[in-house]
Amino acid sequence: MNRVAEAGKAVYDLPMTANCWLDKGEKPGKYPSGGPVSRRMEWWKFAAPAIDVIAPDIYVQNFCEICDAYTKMGNPLFIPETATHSHVGPRLVYTVGHHHAICFAPFGFEDMGQEFSGTQSYLFGVDTSDPLLQTPQNVEEYRWYNQTLAAMMSMLADAYGTDRLQAVITEVPDKNRMMFGSYGFMVLFDLPIIQRKDGVCLALQVSEDTFYLIANACMLAPFSADPEKPNVDLLALEEGYFEDGKWVMTRRLNGDESASMNFGEPTLLKIKLFSYK
């Protein structure tokens, strides 16, 4: 930690970080292979104990795999740079919900939504096989994600480090279940009725049977994990937003809307479940 103080004021401990330039398939020397890349984290943790956080600049396509690699050895996920293509909004939600990230900062934020230059395309690793890696992030949707997370920040921060806050994303299709004690959610992304491919779902448990969810481009299927009460149903399903820390319902869902919980755009939900024999 670096200690910072002004005359007559309190002393603050600021964490020290080290950015990491990742291997993009080049030979050592073309990138700093001796830097704090994940396969050298043990060396850095031993030789540079004053560095609190090793932070990857993520422009490679295997984003989720990199996040996993940089959360070993108690290293918190701190992303000081990442690309601004159409995966960035869902990745923001995923890193907060799944890894409890302490920083997520798209590079060139002021240019978000604009067409990529040749330099940006090279830097961002634009992949012609994935249209979302060629397409800039929708600015209004990114604003919605940030405002929604900011409005929930006190609750999210309280759940950091616990199983009460989880997330899944379409980029990791084989991990689409979230378990919360006697309840769980199956999140379905690859369905004919879902046209978008930027699906994500964050779930925050606030009581045994009540959850807030951020959902986009997915279908939700809650289930019971209690063998004594294997069936599950809804007591309430609401759309809404937070204002001054309070939930504001804008629409109550029922009928077909609750029977098939399919969300084609970013949506904040409050859901209350019950299980029975």
Side-chain angles (χ1 to χ4, degrees):
M1 292 281 188
N2 286 333
R3 309 215 81 184
V4 177
E6 295 181 11
K9 295 185 178 180
V11 175
Y12 297 94
D13 286 326
L14 299 179
M16 181 179 289
T17 67
N19 283 39
C20 178
W21 180 345
L22 300 180
D23 177 10
K24 298 177 69 174
E26 298 174 319
K27 294 182 179 180
K30 290 289 187 179
Y31 77 101
S33 56
V37 293
S38 61
R39 64 178 178 273
R40 297 289 180 261
M41 280 180 64
E42 290 82 357
W43 296 6
W44 278 70
K45 291 288 188 180
F46 176 78
I51 296 176
D52 302 290
V53 181
I54 294 176
D57 300 335
I58 309 180
Y59 297 106
V60 295
Q61 294 164 17
N62 56 330
F63 176 91
C64 298
E65 181 181 336
I66 295 298
C67 290
D68 290 341
Y70 279 85
T71 51
K72 66 181 180 179
M73 301 179 65
N75 191 63
L77 186 61
F78 186 109
I79 303 174
E81 293 185 25
T82 193
T84 57
H85 48 57
S86 289
H87 279 301
V88 69
R91 287 174 175 179
L92 164 65
V93 175
Y94 176 72
T95 56
V96 169
H98 184 71
H99 288 292
H100 304 175
I102 59 175
C103 177
F104 184 93
F107 180 80
F109 180 84
E110 66 278 6
D111 295 327
M112 183 178 287
Q114 300 180 21
E115 293 298 319
F116 298 138
S117 66
T119 300
Q120 289 173 318
S121 296
Y122 174 77
L123 176 66
F124 293 171
V126 169
D127 180 3
T128 57
S129 68
D130 184 346
L132 294 183
L133 294 178
Q134 305 174 58
T135 308
Q137 169 68 48
N138 179 288
V139 175
E140 286 303 309
E141 287 195 358
Y142 194 75
R143 176 192 61 80
W144 184 92
Y145 282 131
N146 276 273
Q147 287 187 339
T148 301
L149 291 171
M152 300 174 65
M153 190 53 64
S154 61
M155 294 189 301
L156 295 172
D158 184 63
Y160 262 38
T162 76
D163 291 334
R164 296 192 297 109
L165 177 61
Q166 301 180 39
V168 293
I169 193 169
T170 188
E171 293 184 81
V172 190
D174 59 333
K175 296 182 180 179
N176 64 339
R177 293 164 60 96
M178 296 180 286
M179 293 294 305
F180 301 89
S182 58
Y183 292 105
F185 292 92
M186 177 79 74
V187 185
L188 306 174
F189 297 114
D190 189 16
L191 295 173
I193 60 174
I194 298 174
Q195 300 301 312
R196 301 177 59 154
K197 301 303 179 185
D198 56 348
V200 68
C201 183
L202 175 151
L204 172 65
Q205 184 183 34
V206 292
S207 69
E208 181 182 358
D209 59 3
T210 304
F211 305 82
Y212 292 107
L213 296 99
I214 296 174
N216 178 42
C218 64
M219 177 178 286
L220 302 178
F223 60 89
S224 171
D226 183 354
E228 300 296 322
K229 298 179 180 179
N231 301 298
V232 69
D233 212 331
L234 302 174
L235 284 175
L237 178 61
E238 302 171 356
E239 291 182 3
Y241 61 94
F242 281 94
E243 184 173 356
D244 298 327
K246 296 181 179 180
W247 173 250
V248 179
M249 182 191 70
T250 56
R251 190 165 69 136
R252 179 173 290 113
L253 305 180
N254 52 39
D256 291 343
E257 295 165 334
S258 60
S260 177
M261 289 189 285
N262 176 29
F263 301 95
E265 61 183 21
T267 306
L268 179 60
L269 303 162
K270 181 180 182 181
I271 182 170
K272 188 177 180 65
L273 304 173
F274 76 97
S275 57
Y276 59 96
K277 292 183 179 181

